[in-house]
């Protein structure tokens, strides 16, 4: 009577893909004389930019949140300004605006979960400085309307690309669709450096500015550099740098990113096929002729009649060993902090609310196989059936 019969296969929602190559690279970085400002940072930044396209520039940062914050500092966004952000996103999207003293102005999402571009114009005022889009959960925002409003009103476009490595619109990589884009290397995102991020742009001057802002605003001109220990400070800056150890991980992960993407795509397809016949569940849309989806996760939205059972379905799937998540558990404007601060109209975010209350984010990461997807399908089907 072993306990084998009760052993179930654990399917975690996400797991960092760290192999011996990454640990070897970290060990090498640690035994080099430069733990910051070294060659691995440049190698990582150049390789990341090259992955996005021939006209891309990149500077590494300590997180995606840091990258977004730096983007707003570069744009001069501050007290009295407004930035349009989606309601249906990670809190970092809004907090990066809020910490500058500017106000995040929230816009509801559409049926895809992305910002409803048809509602952006209504929220532009003479205080608006930028529009931030999030490609959720890896599906590119169709930028036509956003870009038109931005150029007509003279606004900057900031892309939160935390879920969008590998995503593109009309063959242009996400991150290069606006003025500045920020990626995340948090452990369960598409690739990791432990913590970390990357700011990208088609404009090298913007990236040079972000690179100085992330390192105290030092003046690194030749004159200031010629005597050891002597420098000037050209502007206000902060320390949001990435270490050589993190960059060493990043270089190895970048070499594996195409494989990760293929597995994510295969898993997404298997899950979409498997869930096609399950009643009571709608899936957020896949990519199409214009949009390459980055397949961060697959979001299943329960029919209105099942929404009250969402949490018990999640718990039941957990019992069966299937890890899920919720992206995101509350529309940001209705979270305690932002509700208290800006007293939003609770009815203005009904699409975001539907996803917050009725969705389950299903795992499709490269740590999982097609066989695992069958288990995910079965556990969701059984759990839904049990409550109907
Ligand atoms: C994860 C995430 C972030 C935060 O990324 P960090 O690298 O942890 O700062 C920001 N925006 C979105 C949409 C995210 O999913």
């Amino acid at each position: 009577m072993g306990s084998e019969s009760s052993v179930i296969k654990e399917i975690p929602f996400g797991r960092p893909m760290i192999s011996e190559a990454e640990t070897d690279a970290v060990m090498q970085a640690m035994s080099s004389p430069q733990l910051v400002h070294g060659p691995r940072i440049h190698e990582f930044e150049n390789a990341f930019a090259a992955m996005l396209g021939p006209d891309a520039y990149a500077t590494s940062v300590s997180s995606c949140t840091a990258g977004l914050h730096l983007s707003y500092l570069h744009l001069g966004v501050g007290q009295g300004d407004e930035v349009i952000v989606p309601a249906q996103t990670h809190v970092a999207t809004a907090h990066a605006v809020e910490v500058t003293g500017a106000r995040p102005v929230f816009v509801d999402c559409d049926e895809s979960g992305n910002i409803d571009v048809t509602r952006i114009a209504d929220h532009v005022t003479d205080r608006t400085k930028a529009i931030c889009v999030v490609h959720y959960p890896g599906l590119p925002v169709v930028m036509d309307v956003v870009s038109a409003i931005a150029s007509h009103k003279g606004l900057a476009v900031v892309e939160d690309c935390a879920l969008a490595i590998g995503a593109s619109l009309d063959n242009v990589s996400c991150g290069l669709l606006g003025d500045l884009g920020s990626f995340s290397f948090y452990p369960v995102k598409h690739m990791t450096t432990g913590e970390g991020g990357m700011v990208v742009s088609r404009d090298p001057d913007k990236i040079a500015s972000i690179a100085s802002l992330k390192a105290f605003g030092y003046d690194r001109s030749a004159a200031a550099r010629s005597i050891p220990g002597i420098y000037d400070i050209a502007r206000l800056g902060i320390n949001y740098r990435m270490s050589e150890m993190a960059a060493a991980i990043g270089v190895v992960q970048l070499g594996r990113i195409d494989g990760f993407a293929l597995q994510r795509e295969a898993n997404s397809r298997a899950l979409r096929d498997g869930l096609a016949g399950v009643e009571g569940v709608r899936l957020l849309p896949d990519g199409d002729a214009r949009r390459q989806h980055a397949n961060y996760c697959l979001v299943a939205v329960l029919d209105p009649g099942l929404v009250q059972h969402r949490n018990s379905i999640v718990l039941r799937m957990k019992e069966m060993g299937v890890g899920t998540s919720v992206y995101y558990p509350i529309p940001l404007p209705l979270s305690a902090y932002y509700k208290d601060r800006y007293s939003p109209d609770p009815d203005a975010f009904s699409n975001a609310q539907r996803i917050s209350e009725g969705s389950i984010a299903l795992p499709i990461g490269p740590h999982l196989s097609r066989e695992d997807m069958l288990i995910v399908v079965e556990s969701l089907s059984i759990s839904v059936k049990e409550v109907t």
Side-chain angles (χ1 to χ4, degrees):
M1 293 284 129
S3 56
E4 276 97 316
S5 60
S6 62
V7 171
I8 45 166
K9 181 156 191 213
E10 287 292 332
I11 299 186
F13 177 76
R15 199 176 67 203
M17 303 289 285
I18 299 297
S19 69
E20 219 172 278
E22 281 85 352
T23 52
D24 286 351
V26 171
M27 295 305 277
Q28 270 181 29
M30 286 178 75
S31 47
S32 80
Q34 284 177 297
L35 301 186
V36 287
H37 303 304
R40 290 167 187 85
I41 286 290
H42 301 294
E43 186 185 353
F44 183 35
E45 292 172 346
N46 291 339
F48 195 90
M51 175 186 72
L52 295 186
D55 55 348
Y57 296 84
T59 191
S60 56
V61 288
S62 53
S63 70
C64 177
T65 311
L68 292 169
H69 187 198
L70 290 168
S71 300
Y72 296 123
L73 293 179
H74 163 77
L75 293 167
V77 168
Q79 197 105 43
D81 296 332
E82 294 176 353
V83 175
I84 290 179
V85 299
Q88 162 63 22
T89 182
H90 189 288
V91 65
T93 315
H95 274 7
V97 174
E98 181 81 5
V99 289
T100 69
R103 174 178 180 154
V105 174
F106 295 101
V107 174
D108 200 9
C109 61
D110 60 23
E111 290 285 303
S112 77
N114 272 330
I115 189 166
D116 185 346
V117 296
T118 66
R119 295 200 216 178
I120 291 176
D122 294 343
H123 292 79
V124 174
T125 71
D126 49 15
R127 298 175 167 204
T128 309
K129 287 288 185 307
I131 302 169
C132 178
V133 296
V134 178
H135 309 291
Y136 162 86
L139 181 70
V141 172
V142 177
M143 297 295 287
D144 310 38
V145 173
V146 180
S147 307
I149 296 170
S151 64
H152 181 237
K153 300 278 184 181
L155 311 178
V157 175
V158 172
E159 295 176 75
D160 179 338
C161 296
L163 303 177
I165 292 183
S168 60
L169 174 72
D170 301 328
N171 290 317
V172 177
S173 293
C174 288
L176 305 180
L177 302 170
D179 294 284
L180 287 160
S182 284
F183 290 87
S184 173
F185 307 131
Y186 182 75
V188 299
K189 299 278 164 85
H190 292 77
M191 55 172 275
T192 189
T193 58
E195 293 267 18
M198 192 73 80
V199 184
V200 307
S201 177
R202 282 159 300 155
D203 180 351
D205 293 339
K206 290 195 178 79
I207 291 305
S209 165
I210 300 276
S212 110
L213 286 171
K214 79 172 180 191
F216 309 112
Y218 281 154
D219 179 356
R220 296 202 157 270
S221 67
R225 249 186 336 200
S226 57
I227 307 166
I230 306 297
Y231 56 81
D232 198 0
I233 294 111
R235 60 201 295 214
L236 184 63
I238 202 161
N239 181 357
Y240 279 160
R241 285 183 309 234
M242 177 181 279
S243 74
E244 281 286 295
M245 282 73 77
I249 303 173
V251 169
V252 177
Q253 290 265 293
L254 262 190
R256 302 172 67 196
I257 196 79
D258 289 347
F260 295 164
L262 286 174
Q263 190 61 48
R264 285 182 177 279
E265 190 157 19
N267 288 343
S268 169
R269 190 143 303 147
L271 214 43
R272 286 182 180 280
D273 289 348
L275 291 172
V278 178
E279 269 180 51
V281 174
R282 168 176 78 91
L283 300 176
L284 291 190
D286 204 349
D288 53 31
R290 294 188 66 190
R291 296 178 290 178
Q292 172 65 46
H293 201 303
N295 297 308
Y296 174 67
C297 60
L298 184 57
V299 175
V301 185
L302 300 172
D303 285 353
L306 291 175
V307 165
Q308 55 178 321
H309 302 297
R310 194 268 310 273
N311 293 354
S312 48
I313 292 172
V314 163
L315 288 174
R316 187 75 182 93
M317 291 179 74
K318 190 172 168 227
E319 272 174 24
M320 292 188 248
V322 175
T324 61
S325 189
V326 176
Y327 279 72
Y328 296 90
I330 190 158
L332 282 188
L334 307 183
S335 64
Y337 176 81
Y338 284 106
K339 200 161 99 180
D340 184 51
R341 182 135 169 79
Y342 297 118
S343 310
D345 171 3
D347 298 327
F349 309 100
S350 52
N351 288 333
Q353 200 137 29
R354 205 165 304 134
I355 292 176
S356 301
E357 291 171 358
S359 73
I360 303 171
L362 304 171
I364 54 173
H367 59 298
L368 300 173
S369 66
R370 272 167 187 264
E371 290 69 44
D372 294 329
M373 294 301 104
L374 300 180
I375 299 174
V376 175
V377 168
E378 190 173 82
S379 77
L380 180 61
S381 313
I382 292 173
S383 311
V384 166
K385 222 165 268 160
E386 279 175 1
V387 299
T388 48

